[in-house]
Amino acid sequence: MTQRINYMQQSPEFTKKMMDFSNAEKDSSIEETILHLVHIRASQMNGCGFCVDMHVKQAKIHGESELRLYHLPIWRESTLFSPRERAALAWTEILTKLPEHGVPDEVYDRARGQLSEKELSDLSFSIMAINAWNRINVGFKTVPGSADAAFGLSKAGLK
């Protein structure tokens, strides 16, 4: 795969603002484990190889088990995810691929049953951010693994 353009070089001011927006997750009310799962799942759904690669490596560095990463596409059938994680994943999927008639009450109610209003709001901003990153990286065919050195992802030990 050949990258079309390097948007980070072409639009450094926008890239910095998006990075700042994404870095605000460090102050999120949502635990890091769930954020990793959300980033990976949305990226899988959007077909963003660059982001799947990056977030799998980040999750691995932060202690996520390989089996849970393998089970992420089948999280509904897997017994490896907590009710809170399942609610976050369902919310991720519905906001990533919005249905024609909006978000069903049952999905919202499940999310609210596991997440406070603040947590659901913070999670929604995280989903917005990863979907934005997915769209630009898919559009410009950013090569998976091409930023490993810049983001310190080599220490994940995945090749």
Side-chain angles (χ1 to χ4, degrees):
M1 183 162 101
T2 303
Q3 186 165 337
R4 291 177 171 154
I5 66 170
N6 185 327
Y7 65 86
M8 293 181 191
Q9 289 177 348
Q10 296 302 313
S11 302
E13 65 287 347
F14 286 119
T15 300
K16 183 183 180 325
K17 288 184 186 307
M18 273 300 299
M19 292 258 200
D20 290 344
F21 182 73
S22 292
N23 285 333
E25 283 184 333
K26 291 178 178 122
D27 297 324
S28 174
S29 60
I30 301 296
E31 53 269 41
E32 186 177 57
T33 301
I34 288 180
L35 291 175
H36 288 308
L37 297 175
V38 163
H39 293 161
I40 296 165
R41 186 66 191 126
S43 299
Q44 289 171 335
M45 292 176 68
N46 288 321
C48 185
F50 178 82
C51 292
V52 168
D53 179 82
M54 177 185 351
H55 293 292
V56 162
K57 289 172 181 172
Q58 287 176 337
K60 184 85 171 106
I61 289 168
H62 291 110
E64 185 58 75
S65 81
E66 286 189 44
L67 187 57
R68 280 172 38 101
L69 294 173
Y70 299 147
H71 276 226
L72 196 48
I74 57 155
W75 65 267
R76 283 179 180 81
E77 294 82 23
S78 176
T79 60
L80 302 178
F81 301 97
S82 71
R84 181 175 171 83
E85 290 168 332
R86 290 174 182 286
L89 289 166
W91 192 248
T92 299
E93 288 186 356
I94 205 79
L95 291 188
T96 297
K97 300 281 188 202
L98 288 168
E100 184 177 341
H101 300 290
V103 175
D105 289 338
E106 65 200 44
V107 177
Y108 172 79
D109 292 341
R110 183 183 325 151
R112 277 294 290 125
Q114 294 294 322
L115 303 162
S116 71
E117 288 182 2
K118 167 79 167 129
E119 290 168 332
L120 190 56
S121 181
D122 285 358
L123 178 62
S124 298
F125 277 99
S126 294
I127 295 165
M128 287 170 34
I130 191 58
N131 276 285
W133 285 117
N134 290 165
R135 279 149 180 74
I136 198 160
N137 284 302
V138 168
F140 294 128
K141 293 187 174 182
T142 308
V143 178
S146 61
D148 282 5
F151 293 122
L153 299 177
S154 300
K155 61 186 170 189
L158 298 174
K159 294 183 185 213

